[in-house]
Amino acid sequence: MKYEDRLMAPEARRVYEDILRQMTPAQKLEAASRARRRVLELALAGVKLDHPDWTLEEQQAEARRRFAAWKT
């Protein structure tokens, strides 16, 4: 069993893959862009909880740093 297959039920995976197959490349790119923005929003929320005394600019920089570190 592949790692990805353990993340969702087989039927859910089939439905998800069918949806992806029906999407245009532009739609897939937009979906990925929305997901990336959401991850950055969640990272920023975490930084705000950890460092409420920081400026927004400092919090945003830390959120971007955490996101970049997570991707590698």
Side-chain angles (χ1 to χ4, degrees):
M1 179 181 292
K2 294 187 298 186
Y3 173 75
E4 296 87 10
D5 291 340
R6 290 183 275 156
L7 295 177
M8 72 175 66
E11 180 58 25
R13 165 99 23 221
R14 281 189 288 279
V15 170
Y16 174 71
E17 289 173 351
D18 286 343
I19 291 168
L20 287 176
R21 274 192 285 279
Q22 294 171 20
M23 293 172 75
T24 66
Q27 289 171 321
K28 290 176 187 175
L29 184 59
E30 177 58 30
S33 180
R34 281 193 313 266
R36 181 184 180 279
R37 284 192 302 271
R38 184 66 179 139
V39 168
L40 282 169
E41 289 171 6
L42 292 170
L44 180 58
V47 173
K48 286 180 175 186
L49 287 173
D50 293 343
H51 303 284
D53 55 319
W54 288 7
T55 66
L56 178 60
E57 291 77 20
E58 291 171 320
Q59 292 169 340
Q60 289 171 332
E62 175 62 10
R64 287 189 300 271
R65 186 197 66 76
R66 289 182 185 186
F67 181 70
W70 176 75
K71 293 190 310 184
T72 60

